[in-house]
Amino acid sequence: EVQLVESGGALVQPGGSLRLSCAASGFIFSTYSINWVRQAPGKGLEWVSYISSSSGVVHYADSVKGRFTISRDNAKNSAFLQMNSLRAEDTGIYYCARDRHFEDWGQGTLVSVSS
Amino acid sequence: DVVMTQSPLSLPVTLGQPASISCRSSQSLVYSNGITYLSWFQQRPGHSPRRLIYQVSDRDSGVPDRFSGGGSGTDFTLKISRVEAEDVGVYYCMQGTHWPQTFGQGTKVEIK
């Protein structure tokens, strides 16, 4: 069974940093790309970032470019999202999703940016 | 960015009756390989999104056959042949043809 488990969400002050993790199991992690998607409270889905299976290709939404960094460790079956210079508008649930077309999703981790 | 426009945004339905959601893209979603990367997702209240349909009309494993997807180019539709109580939630279309991937605003399906 495919499982994606996000962690690392927390309450942080504006300007602060967080590192989210996505632990994968039930499939050959090194052969799949990973996306991060977020959902602000009561709002829709927003794609945030993408990393290819080998880390050779990464993409970011304009709203996070220069502040967020996506990475992965295939030996540990994990992907990460380093979030710096956090803003109130970054608040929401962050999901990791498997493959280019979001075949499977984790349960999400909540990030709250507030003073 | 490709804009995905769903309608309606709210859809009250009667149990056992059909439902239909429209999704239109601001440009063609046909990729250079001829494949159209249009997916549909269901998000039940308090749950993560779940993919139902990919490449316009292919159902994911475990998705009931009352869900069907269709369309081409820039116009797409998700249909539920007979709505059941467990279908309540928000439905999103998403295009994966052009970077960045973009989602529709979501359509909230509720029981009358």
Side-chain angles (χ1 to χ4, degrees):
Chain A
E1 179 195 5
V2 170
Q3 279 203 317
L4 297 164
V5 180
E6 301 91 337
S7 61
L11 172 63
V12 61
Q13 291 188 339
S17 297
L18 277 178
R19 188 188 194 217
L20 305 184
S21 298
C22 171
S25 61
F27 63 99
I28 303 174
F29 181 73
S30 61
T31 64
Y32 284 86
S33 57
I34 293 290
N35 285 279
W36 286 94
V37 178
R38 68 185 180 185
Q39 186 169 35
K43 302 296 185 182
L45 302 172
E46 178 190 16
W47 169 78
V48 172
S49 186
Y50 163 92
I51 186 166
S52 64
S53 58
S54 64
S55 304
V57 177
V58 297
H59 291 290
Y60 299 95
D62 286 345
S63 57
V64 307
K65 204 171 291 183
R67 300 187 299 123
F68 289 12
T69 302
I70 192 170
S71 62
R72 64 190 293 159
D73 184 339
N74 286 344
K76 296 184 177 180
N77 291 343
S78 294
F80 309 97
L81 187 67
Q82 177 67 42
M83 306 189 296
N84 298 332
S85 304
L86 283 163
R87 306 167 179 167
E89 55 265 34
D90 295 319
T91 293
I93 298 174
Y94 284 70
Y95 300 99
C96 61
R98 180 173 79 131
D99 96 8
R100 174 82 169 80
H101 302 290
F102 307 87
E103 183 173 359
D104 296 282
W105 297 61
Q107 86 291 345
T109 187
L110 178 61
V111 172
S112 294
V113 184
S114 174
S115 54
Chain B
D1 295 1
V2 176
V3 177
M4 305 296 288
T5 303
Q6 291 182 227
S7 62
L9 298 185
S10 178
L11 183 57
V13 296
T14 302
L15 288 173
Q17 293 300 302
S20 180
I21 301 170
S22 171
C23 175
R24 290 185 173 176
S25 58
S26 59
Q27 51 185 283
S28 174
L29 299 186
V30 181
Y31 192 57
S32 55
N33 61 7
I35 297 174
T36 300
Y37 294 105
L38 185 285
S39 302
W40 289 95
F41 298 85
Q42 174 196 60
Q43 188 174 30
R44 291 171 172 152
H47 289 262
S48 306
R50 166 200 182 193
R51 196 178 71 178
L52 299 176
I53 302 283
Y54 62 98
Q55 293 178 23
V56 180
S57 58
D58 290 335
R59 264 191 310 275
D60 274 281
S61 175
V63 175
D65 60 8
R66 64 179 181 274
F67 290 94
S68 64
S72 63
T74 61
D75 288 312
F76 305 93
T77 304
L78 176 70
K79 294 183 178 180
I80 310 174
S81 59
R82 293 173 305 280
V83 172
E84 297 188 6
E86 66 179 20
D87 300 335
V88 165
V90 181
Y91 292 78
Y92 298 91
C93 61
M94 188 213 77
Q95 67 83 18
T97 297
H98 306 280
W99 286 101
Q101 298 104 309
T102 45
F103 291 90
Q105 320 97 299
T107 295
K108 187 174 184 178
V109 172
E110 57 186 9
I111 304 300
K112 282 183 184 175

